[in-house]
Amino acid sequence: MSAARAEVAPPQRGKPLHSLSPRKPVPVMRQVVSDQDGREDVLLKSVDLSRVVKLLEDPLSCNFTERHLRVLKKMVKQYQNGVPLKDLEQLFKILNICAGKVVEQEVFVEPIFEIVKLCGLPFLKAKSSDEIKYAQVVSESISQLGYLMRVPSSQVRMQICATIIRFYSPDSATQPIEGLHPTSNWYKIEMAECGGLAESIVLSLSLFENDPEMKIWVLKALQLLSSSSGKNCNLMIKAHAASTICTRLNDPDSSGQLLFRSSEILWNLLENGSQEELINQLSNLECIHALKEAFGKLLKRGYRHFDHQLRNDLLVIATLIAENPDTAMIESGFAKELILYATFSEVKSHNPLVRAIKLSYTNEDFEMKKLLFNMLVILSRDLPCIQMLSDGKVVLALFHYVKPNEKPGVHDWSAAHFEDLQLHAIATLGTVAHLLVEDYMVCQGNTRLLLFLEWCVGQDHFFGKGNSFHGTGGRGNKRAQMRYCLRLLRAMVSLDDETVNQDLCDQGAISQLQGILKRIDQSAKEKEDVTVLEIQADILFILSTVCENDLHRKELFGTEGVDLLLLLLRMDPNKFYSGIGHNRLILSTLDSVWCCVIGCYTAEDYFLEKEGIFILLDLLSLNQSNMNNVILGILVEFCDNPKTISHLNTWRGNKNQTTANLLVQLWRQEEDLLGVRHNENRIIDTKKRLVGILQEEQGVISMPANCPSSAIMDVAENMRAKIYSVFCKLGFEDLPGLEAKDYVTLSVISRYLDFKVGEIWSEISAELAEEGFRPVTPDEEALEVIGKAFENSGKMVASHQAMILENKRQQDLQEEQQVYAEMQANHKQNELTVKSWEDFLARTSNFEVLKKAKRLQEKSIESSRPKARPRNGVFHSTQIPGLRTTIAYGRRVTVKSTPSEIIGGPLADTPLALKKVPIRGGALQNVKGIKMSNHTKVDQVCVK
């Protein structure tokens, strides 16, 4: 007989219809089979599940086992193409009843097996809304699959796991049924998440400790449940799946799947679940022992590609566990073994653990090596591991890669792999070496690094791959190697270990680093990137740290170093906002000026000679908040050199700004940021002149004697003390470029030290009052006198400020009056001009007025002539006879010449006679050697 298929029977009259909705009847299913002759016979009609439940629960039918099995068999055949969602609740109720009978009657194992198998088929829905309508019923039903794992039958348990696995690979080969449609593929998966199936499956793992085959089936199901669901992963973690699975990694397994599937589940939990909770579960001693044993077994005996990948996966999990500070890596001995595995190929060891290990230099071995380097970094964070790192000769092993890969062998790392390991090793040294200074010096670390730097700047052909995280920016060049080498040097000099720094200088590091900096600056003008700027900043930091407290090293820095600093200080200010590191470079340059130049007189004088102070003031005028404090500190230090003051007074900035004006502006800006209360820069509260809003709100806090108070901390936290120090060198009087408001601020700056001392005494008094202490009478009187003196000082400054502002107001008033007087004079001149024009018009239109004006003109001319006339003088008339006008004559008129009969006129004895060409018949007739034309009749003269 062929396999059964489902057929929908048409509705019949007189028979009730079972429906999901009262309006739409659902067709009744019946089973139909075909025999060999092709005849179709109806074997059974649709089974009423409620009657089946009643039959199984009826105590009177408890002995009718065969009948029960027959009914269950019919029910299974009815749903062989899928279970409708509306019948799922009754179906699982029957399943639970059968599970309860298994203990006494094992014959119910087969029905349970068949019913669980039905759950792997697609669920059927009549309407699209059924998925939402029956969601709670479906989730509760699926969750019961996990609890059915208690059924003492391997067949049933395996089928439960197979059913769960089928959720993720739905079978669409079932025959369609009219009026019913399968649910979507993800529906069962989502319902399994909502029902908490994963948690119950994890709890069932304890039942299969001695059943390896069943354990593999459960792990398969858990692997799928945790593959893409964060909710399932969190439920599994809640059920302690991580520790349960990890502790059983090394159980006997003939299939070879236990370790693989367990590691996959742990990976899924790490990626999709709560990583913190998972790491806490795996940090116990038992789990770490299991990981150590599994990793060691794969490292020694694993020869397949699959084994190598699994080994690396376990190493990643161990790395994540090692990041937990409460882990038992040291107690388990796993840390010591990992250090041994990380260094066995670079440092010879006779330890039996590594005697059988050989690297094949494949990609998997390369990844393992990088993971072991990363593990060294993580272990270095735990102080008890430091001695283990030293005993394992980690520094020596890592320095094995600080060299050029000139002749790679056949059985060795490829060029790309070696470059990646080289950069990773140097980066690891940057974290580990400063913890193992003695090992670093024994390995001659400074010498190795300087030689490696020399290779980095060499001209030999090297094409960096630049295809890793550490190789960023180093493709086709050696910049990546140089960057990490300088990072390592920076980490070492940051220790302030004089032995390390002295050894570095003895090797000629200062001149070598200067040469590198100069070469980079010459070659990187066209293209600057993050790597180049970081290299420059690190070099400057190393030089600053080495030269800071040693005069001889500053002398070695010399004028060549000063030229490099000045070149960097002249950087285009627009680059500060480039986002690739120019701001860090300029701060490193300023730090180098402070540490490498200040304190060495020859370097200071050369810096001043090259107009370095002007460059610093130009940077200060840019008003960059992250640089102002540093620049002011440098200026304060430079002011100890007497040559600096003339440079400060000479500098002129934008719009002819002076140094004093710039410093006053910075003071006002700083007080605005601090929230100091003032009115037009005038003192408001004479007792709290320097106190900002934050300091005032904080109040007086009782501090130990060795801790600075708020008033003391204020000196270091803002720029006011540095501005005051610069003004102490410049002076507070006769400063160019200051206005009245600047003098108002300057009066406060000049008394900064007095105000700060008074503020500290006020803190002392307030702290004594807060603690409830009363000073002895002399001290109390002294405190009162100091407080009054402080207040009087504030009042004096306030009155001085008021006087300055009043003088300014009076000066402004005088200037205003002068402006008004000038405006009035201009207005009067305009009136006179108008009146003159009106008189002119009157003369041209009224003849009587014209005659009157003419008489006045002639009278004025006559009165202007001298009364006494010289003897023998010749006078020419300046009036044109018959002229009827009163306007001024032309500037040039024609007059008759002096008569030639008169020898020796009035100009004969004057110096003009020696300079002018003599005119015939004139005063210079007796000059010899000059011939004049007889036709000279007239001369042009100017008449006023």
Side-chain angles (χ1 to χ4, degrees), residues 557-593:
F557 186 79
T559 58
E560 183 179 356
V562 174
D563 288 333
L564 289 172
L565 295 180
L566 292 173
L567 187 63
L568 293 173
L569 287 175
R570 291 189 177 94
M571 183 191 307
D572 184 4
N574 295 325
K575 293 183 178 180
F576 295 164
Y577 310 99
S578 63
I580 61 175
H582 287 92
N583 53 345
R584 179 187 172 190
L585 178 59
I586 191 67
L587 288 174
S588 300
T589 307
L590 292 172
D591 184 56
S592 297
V593 173

mmCIF file of all heavy atoms in Angstrom, residues 557-593:
data_model
loop_
_atom_site.group_PDB
_atom_site.id
_atom_site.type_symbol
_atom_site.label_atom_id
_atom_site.label_comp_id
_atom_site.label_asym_id
_atom_site.label_seq_id
_atom_site.Cartn_x
_atom_site.Cartn_y
_atom_site.Cartn_z
ATOM 1 N N PHE A 557 71.233 69.300 21.831
ATOM 2 C CA PHE A 557 70.085 69.646 20.979
ATOM 3 C C PHE A 557 70.460 70.801 20.059
ATOM 4 O O PHE A 557 70.153 70.779 18.864
ATOM 5 C CB PHE A 557 68.893 69.998 21.868
ATOM 6 C CG PHE A 557 67.611 70.226 21.129
ATOM 7 C CD1 PHE A 557 66.848 69.166 20.692
ATOM 8 C CD2 PHE A 557 67.166 71.524 20.874
ATOM 9 C CE1 PHE A 557 65.662 69.377 20.012
ATOM 10 C CE2 PHE A 557 65.987 71.738 20.199
ATOM 11 C CZ PHE A 557 65.234 70.664 19.766
ATOM 12 N N GLY A 558 71.092 71.833 20.610
ATOM 13 C CA GLY A 558 71.768 72.872 19.838
ATOM 14 C C GLY A 558 70.897 73.701 18.926
ATOM 15 O O GLY A 558 69.669 73.667 18.941
ATOM 16 N N THR A 559 71.588 74.480 18.103
ATOM 17 C CA THR A 559 70.915 75.401 17.185
ATOM 18 C C THR A 559 70.193 74.660 16.067
ATOM 19 O O THR A 559 69.190 75.140 15.542
ATOM 20 C CB THR A 559 71.945 76.368 16.584
ATOM 21 O OG1 THR A 559 72.968 75.614 15.907
ATOM 22 C CG2 THR A 559 72.591 77.211 17.674
ATOM 23 N N GLU A 560 70.695 73.491 15.712
ATOM 24 C CA GLU A 560 70.019 72.722 14.672
ATOM 25 C C GLU A 560 68.625 72.312 15.126
ATOM 26 O O GLU A 560 67.658 72.384 14.367
ATOM 27 C CB GLU A 560 70.851 71.481 14.328
ATOM 28 C CG GLU A 560 70.255 70.651 13.198
ATOM 29 C CD GLU A 560 71.106 69.442 12.857
ATOM 30 O OE1 GLU A 560 72.198 69.311 13.451
ATOM 31 O OE2 GLU A 560 70.681 68.638 12.015
ATOM 32 N N GLY A 561 68.532 71.914 16.392
ATOM 33 C CA GLY A 561 67.221 71.577 16.927
ATOM 34 C C GLY A 561 66.311 72.787 17.016
ATOM 35 O O GLY A 561 65.102 72.694 16.759
ATOM 36 N N VAL A 562 66.874 73.952 17.371
ATOM 37 C CA VAL A 562 66.069 75.177 17.434
ATOM 38 C C VAL A 562 65.523 75.534 16.062
ATOM 39 O O VAL A 562 64.371 75.957 15.920
ATOM 40 C CB VAL A 562 66.916 76.330 18.020
ATOM 41 C CG1 VAL A 562 66.143 77.645 17.955
ATOM 42 C CG2 VAL A 562 67.315 76.017 19.459
ATOM 43 N N ASP A 563 66.321 75.382 15.028
ATOM 44 C CA ASP A 563 65.839 75.654 13.667
ATOM 45 C C ASP A 563 64.660 74.752 13.305
ATOM 46 O O ASP A 563 63.687 75.200 12.677
ATOM 47 C CB ASP A 563 66.975 75.462 12.665
ATOM 48 C CG ASP A 563 68.017 76.566 12.745
ATOM 49 O OD1 ASP A 563 67.648 77.679 13.146
ATOM 50 O OD2 ASP A 563 69.187 76.308 12.423
ATOM 51 N N LEU A 564 64.734 73.489 13.703
ATOM 52 C CA LEU A 564 63.616 72.574 13.423
ATOM 53 C C LEU A 564 62.357 72.998 14.165
ATOM 54 O O LEU A 564 61.247 72.961 13.613
ATOM 55 C CB LEU A 564 64.007 71.149 13.823
ATOM 56 C CG LEU A 564 65.050 70.454 12.949
ATOM 57 C CD1 LEU A 564 65.466 69.128 13.581
ATOM 58 C CD2 LEU A 564 64.503 70.210 11.546
ATOM 59 N N LEU A 565 62.529 73.439 15.416
ATOM 60 C CA LEU A 565 61.367 73.872 16.187
ATOM 61 C C LEU A 565 60.740 75.126 15.587
ATOM 62 O O LEU A 565 59.509 75.238 15.497
ATOM 63 C CB LEU A 565 61.770 74.128 17.638
ATOM 64 C CG LEU A 565 62.249 72.907 18.445
ATOM 65 C CD1 LEU A 565 62.611 73.324 19.854
ATOM 66 C CD2 LEU A 565 61.192 71.826 18.460
ATOM 67 N N LEU A 566 61.581 76.057 15.174
ATOM 68 C CA LEU A 566 61.049 77.282 14.569
ATOM 69 C C LEU A 566 60.329 76.971 13.259
ATOM 70 O O LEU A 566 59.301 77.591 12.942
ATOM 71 C CB LEU A 566 62.197 78.267 14.318
ATOM 72 C CG LEU A 566 62.850 78.855 15.570
ATOM 73 C CD1 LEU A 566 64.071 79.675 15.190
ATOM 74 C CD2 LEU A 566 61.853 79.728 16.327
ATOM 75 N N LEU A 567 60.838 76.026 12.530
ATOM 76 C CA LEU A 567 60.187 75.634 11.275
ATOM 77 C C LEU A 567 58.801 75.052 11.542
ATOM 78 O O LEU A 567 57.840 75.340 10.821
ATOM 79 C CB LEU A 567 61.072 74.627 10.543
ATOM 80 C CG LEU A 567 60.634 74.221 9.121
ATOM 81 C CD1 LEU A 567 60.667 75.426 8.194
ATOM 82 C CD2 LEU A 567 61.522 73.120 8.586
ATOM 83 N N LEU A 568 58.691 74.246 12.589
ATOM 84 C CA LEU A 568 57.393 73.657 12.924
ATOM 85 C C LEU A 568 56.451 74.689 13.537
ATOM 86 O O LEU A 568 55.236 74.616 13.342
ATOM 87 C CB LEU A 568 57.588 72.491 13.893
ATOM 88 C CG LEU A 568 58.311 71.270 13.312
ATOM 89 C CD1 LEU A 568 58.606 70.256 14.413
ATOM 90 C CD2 LEU A 568 57.480 70.623 12.221
ATOM 91 N N LEU A 569 57.001 75.655 14.284
ATOM 92 C CA LEU A 569 56.143 76.690 14.888
ATOM 93 C C LEU A 569 55.521 77.599 13.837
ATOM 94 O O LEU A 569 54.482 78.214 14.087
ATOM 95 C CB LEU A 569 56.956 77.526 15.879
ATOM 96 C CG LEU A 569 57.319 76.860 17.202
ATOM 97 C CD1 LEU A 569 58.223 77.772 18.020
ATOM 98 C CD2 LEU A 569 56.070 76.511 17.999
ATOM 99 N N ARG A 570 56.153 77.706 12.675
ATOM 100 C CA ARG A 570 55.603 78.542 11.602
ATOM 101 C C ARG A 570 54.533 77.813 10.785
ATOM 102 O O ARG A 570 54.202 78.210 9.680
ATOM 103 C CB ARG A 570 56.731 78.992 10.673
ATOM 104 C CG ARG A 570 57.701 79.979 11.305
ATOM 105 C CD ARG A 570 58.667 80.550 10.284
ATOM 106 N NE ARG A 570 59.545 81.539 10.850
ATOM 107 C CZ ARG A 570 60.760 81.292 11.333
ATOM 108 N NH1 ARG A 570 61.227 80.046 11.299
ATOM 109 N NH2 ARG A 570 61.507 82.256 11.849
ATOM 110 N N MET A 571 53.988 76.776 11.324
ATOM 111 C CA MET A 571 52.938 76.008 10.654
ATOM 112 C C MET A 571 51.727 76.899 10.373
ATOM 113 O O MET A 571 51.398 77.816 11.138
ATOM 114 C CB MET A 571 52.527 74.831 11.559
ATOM 115 C CG MET A 571 51.500 73.895 10.982
ATOM 116 S SD MET A 571 50.873 72.765 12.262
ATOM 117 C CE MET A 571 52.394 72.084 12.894
ATOM 118 N N ASP A 572 51.081 76.626 9.265
ATOM 119 C CA ASP A 572 49.878 77.366 8.888
ATOM 120 C C ASP A 572 48.792 77.126 9.939
ATOM 121 O O ASP A 572 48.412 75.971 10.193
ATOM 122 C CB ASP A 572 49.392 76.900 7.517
ATOM 123 C CG ASP A 572 48.199 77.707 7.025
ATOM 124 O OD1 ASP A 572 47.804 78.668 7.709
ATOM 125 O OD2 ASP A 572 47.660 77.373 5.953
ATOM 126 N N PRO A 573 48.266 78.170 10.581
ATOM 127 C CA PRO A 573 47.242 77.967 11.628
ATOM 128 C C PRO A 573 45.990 77.269 11.122
ATOM 129 O O PRO A 573 45.276 76.636 11.914
ATOM 130 C CB PRO A 573 46.926 79.401 12.088
ATOM 131 C CG PRO A 573 48.116 80.204 11.719
ATOM 132 C CD PRO A 573 48.652 79.582 10.464
ATOM 133 N N ASN A 574 45.695 77.356 9.846
ATOM 134 C CA ASN A 574 44.501 76.680 9.329
ATOM 135 C C ASN A 574 44.612 75.164 9.428
ATOM 136 O O ASN A 574 43.596 74.457 9.413
ATOM 137 C CB ASN A 574 44.262 77.079 7.873
ATOM 138 C CG ASN A 574 43.931 78.548 7.729
ATOM 139 O OD1 ASN A 574 43.266 79.124 8.586
ATOM 140 N ND2 ASN A 574 44.392 79.174 6.656
ATOM 141 N N LYS A 575 45.838 74.638 9.532
ATOM 142 C CA LYS A 575 46.022 73.191 9.634
ATOM 143 C C LYS A 575 45.661 72.653 11.015
ATOM 144 O O LYS A 575 45.551 71.444 11.191
ATOM 145 C CB LYS A 575 47.469 72.827 9.310
ATOM 146 C CG LYS A 575 47.865 73.069 7.859
ATOM 147 C CD LYS A 575 49.296 72.618 7.614
ATOM 148 C CE LYS A 575 49.702 72.814 6.169
ATOM 149 N NZ LYS A 575 51.104 72.369 5.921
ATOM 150 N N PHE A 576 45.513 73.557 12.002
ATOM 151 C CA PHE A 576 45.176 73.086 13.341
ATOM 152 C C PHE A 576 43.852 72.335 13.353
ATOM 153 O O PHE A 576 43.605 71.507 14.224
ATOM 154 C CB PHE A 576 45.102 74.260 14.322
ATOM 155 C CG PHE A 576 46.425 74.962 14.526
ATOM 156 C CD1 PHE A 576 46.479 76.219 15.100
ATOM 157 C CD2 PHE A 576 47.614 74.365 14.140
ATOM 158 C CE1 PHE A 576 47.687 76.864 15.294
ATOM 159 C CE2 PHE A 576 48.823 74.999 14.325
ATOM 160 C CZ PHE A 576 48.862 76.244 14.901
ATOM 161 N N TYR A 577 42.995 72.647 12.398
ATOM 162 C CA TYR A 577 41.668 72.038 12.361
ATOM 163 C C TYR A 577 41.572 70.975 11.268
ATOM 164 O O TYR A 577 40.472 70.622 10.844
ATOM 165 C CB TYR A 577 40.608 73.108 12.115
ATOM 166 C CG TYR A 577 40.737 74.296 13.039
ATOM 167 C CD1 TYR A 577 41.364 75.476 12.631
ATOM 168 C CD2 TYR A 577 40.253 74.244 14.338
ATOM 169 C CE1 TYR A 577 41.488 76.559 13.474
ATOM 170 C CE2 TYR A 577 40.375 75.309 15.201
ATOM 171 C CZ TYR A 577 41.000 76.476 14.759
ATOM 172 O OH TYR A 577 41.106 77.536 15.610
ATOM 173 N N SER A 578 42.699 70.466 10.809
ATOM 174 C CA SER A 578 42.683 69.483 9.728
ATOM 175 C C SER A 578 42.144 68.137 10.193
ATOM 176 O O SER A 578 41.628 67.361 9.397
ATOM 177 C CB SER A 578 44.092 69.306 9.159
ATOM 178 O OG SER A 578 44.959 68.781 10.157
ATOM 179 N N GLY A 579 42.281 67.823 11.475
ATOM 180 C CA GLY A 579 41.774 66.570 12.000
ATOM 181 C C GLY A 579 42.707 65.395 11.842
ATOM 182 O O GLY A 579 42.326 64.260 12.160
ATOM 183 N N ILE A 580 43.921 65.608 11.359
ATOM 184 C CA ILE A 580 44.844 64.485 11.159
ATOM 185 C C ILE A 580 46.043 64.558 12.105
ATOM 186 O O ILE A 580 46.928 63.705 12.014
ATOM 187 C CB ILE A 580 45.334 64.423 9.700
ATOM 188 C CG1 ILE A 580 46.083 65.704 9.322
ATOM 189 C CG2 ILE A 580 44.180 64.187 8.756
ATOM 190 C CD1 ILE A 580 46.700 65.641 7.912
ATOM 191 N N GLY A 581 46.079 65.535 13.009
ATOM 192 C CA GLY A 581 47.125 65.543 14.026
ATOM 193 C C GLY A 581 47.999 66.765 14.086
ATOM 194 O O GLY A 581 48.998 66.767 14.823
ATOM 195 N N HIS A 582 47.678 67.824 13.343
ATOM 196 C CA HIS A 582 48.521 69.034 13.408
ATOM 197 C C HIS A 582 48.444 69.692 14.788
ATOM 198 O O HIS A 582 49.428 70.294 15.247
ATOM 199 C CB HIS A 582 48.098 70.035 12.331
ATOM 200 C CG HIS A 582 48.483 69.627 10.945
ATOM 201 N ND1 HIS A 582 47.649 68.906 10.125
ATOM 202 C CD2 HIS A 582 49.632 69.807 10.233
ATOM 203 C CE1 HIS A 582 48.250 68.687 8.969
ATOM 204 N NE2 HIS A 582 49.449 69.214 9.003
ATOM 205 N N ASN A 583 47.287 69.615 15.432
ATOM 206 C CA ASN A 583 47.162 70.207 16.764
ATOM 207 C C ASN A 583 48.078 69.487 17.772
ATOM 208 O O ASN A 583 48.697 70.129 18.626
ATOM 209 C CB ASN A 583 45.715 70.157 17.228
ATOM 210 C CG ASN A 583 45.123 68.757 17.149
ATOM 211 O OD1 ASN A 583 45.688 67.881 16.500
ATOM 212 N ND2 ASN A 583 44.009 68.542 17.798
ATOM 213 N N ARG A 584 48.175 68.180 17.653
ATOM 214 C CA ARG A 584 49.078 67.441 18.536
ATOM 215 C C ARG A 584 50.531 67.788 18.224
ATOM 216 O O ARG A 584 51.367 67.910 19.133
ATOM 217 C CB ARG A 584 48.836 65.943 18.346
ATOM 218 C CG ARG A 584 49.740 65.081 19.200
ATOM 219 C CD ARG A 584 49.581 63.613 18.858
ATOM 220 N NE ARG A 584 50.567 62.807 19.541
ATOM 221 C CZ ARG A 584 50.806 61.529 19.296
ATOM 222 N NH1 ARG A 584 50.112 60.920 18.355
ATOM 223 N NH2 ARG A 584 51.720 60.863 19.945
ATOM 224 N N LEU A 585 50.856 67.967 16.955
ATOM 225 C CA LEU A 585 52.225 68.290 16.571
ATOM 226 C C LEU A 585 52.636 69.656 17.104
ATOM 227 O O LEU A 585 53.766 69.816 17.599
ATOM 228 C CB LEU A 585 52.346 68.248 15.041
ATOM 229 C CG LEU A 585 53.721 68.613 14.469
ATOM 230 C CD1 LEU A 585 54.789 67.666 15.001
ATOM 231 C CD2 LEU A 585 53.691 68.577 12.947
ATOM 232 N N ILE A 586 51.757 70.650 17.039
ATOM 233 C CA ILE A 586 52.127 71.984 17.515
ATOM 234 C C ILE A 586 52.299 71.987 19.031
ATOM 235 O O ILE A 586 53.189 72.649 19.574
ATOM 236 C CB ILE A 586 51.083 73.035 17.061
ATOM 237 C CG1 ILE A 586 51.600 74.446 17.306
ATOM 238 C CG2 ILE A 586 49.758 72.822 17.749
ATOM 239 C CD1 ILE A 586 52.775 74.824 16.466
ATOM 240 N N LEU A 587 51.487 71.204 19.748
ATOM 241 C CA LEU A 587 51.650 71.120 21.200
ATOM 242 C C LEU A 587 52.957 70.410 21.555
ATOM 243 O O LEU A 587 53.642 70.800 22.511
ATOM 244 C CB LEU A 587 50.463 70.378 21.811
ATOM 245 C CG LEU A 587 49.132 71.142 21.820
ATOM 246 C CD1 LEU A 587 48.000 70.252 22.313
ATOM 247 C CD2 LEU A 587 49.228 72.388 22.690
ATOM 248 N N SER A 588 53.304 69.385 20.792
ATOM 249 C CA SER A 588 54.582 68.709 21.031
ATOM 250 C C SER A 588 55.749 69.643 20.752
ATOM 251 O O SER A 588 56.770 69.611 21.457
ATOM 252 C CB SER A 588 54.691 67.462 20.149
ATOM 253 O OG SER A 588 53.657 66.542 20.422
ATOM 254 N N THR A 589 55.611 70.508 19.742
ATOM 255 C CA THR A 589 56.670 71.466 19.434
ATOM 256 C C THR A 589 56.829 72.475 20.565
ATOM 257 O O THR A 589 57.953 72.808 20.970
ATOM 258 C CB THR A 589 56.346 72.188 18.119
ATOM 259 O OG1 THR A 589 56.089 71.222 17.091
ATOM 260 C CG2 THR A 589 57.496 73.073 17.694
ATOM 261 N N LEU A 590 55.729 72.981 21.084
ATOM 262 C CA LEU A 590 55.795 73.920 22.207
ATOM 263 C C LEU A 590 56.422 73.256 23.433
ATOM 264 O O LEU A 590 57.215 73.890 24.154
ATOM 265 C CB LEU A 590 54.391 74.425 22.544
ATOM 266 C CG LEU A 590 53.729 75.325 21.486
ATOM 267 C CD1 LEU A 590 52.278 75.588 21.844
ATOM 268 C CD2 LEU A 590 54.483 76.643 21.367
ATOM 269 N N ASP A 591 56.075 71.994 23.660
ATOM 270 C CA ASP A 591 56.669 71.267 24.780
ATOM 271 C C ASP A 591 58.180 71.123 24.590
ATOM 272 O O ASP A 591 58.955 71.207 25.558
ATOM 273 C CB ASP A 591 55.997 69.901 24.898
ATOM 274 C CG ASP A 591 56.500 69.127 26.099
ATOM 275 O OD1 ASP A 591 56.417 69.648 27.224
ATOM 276 O OD2 ASP A 591 56.995 68.001 25.907
ATOM 277 N N SER A 592 58.608 70.919 23.353
ATOM 278 C CA SER A 592 60.047 70.806 23.079
ATOM 279 C C SER A 592 60.752 72.134 23.303
ATOM 280 O O SER A 592 61.897 72.171 23.775
ATOM 281 C CB SER A 592 60.274 70.322 21.642
ATOM 282 O OG SER A 592 59.741 69.032 21.443
ATOM 283 N N VAL A 593 60.103 73.251 22.959
ATOM 284 C CA VAL A 593 60.695 74.568 23.242
ATOM 285 C C VAL A 593 60.909 74.725 24.738
ATOM 286 O O VAL A 593 61.954 75.215 25.197
ATOM 287 C CB VAL A 593 59.781 75.680 22.691
ATOM 288 C CG1 VAL A 593 60.288 77.044 23.125
ATOM 289 C CG2 VAL A 593 59.725 75.614 21.173
#
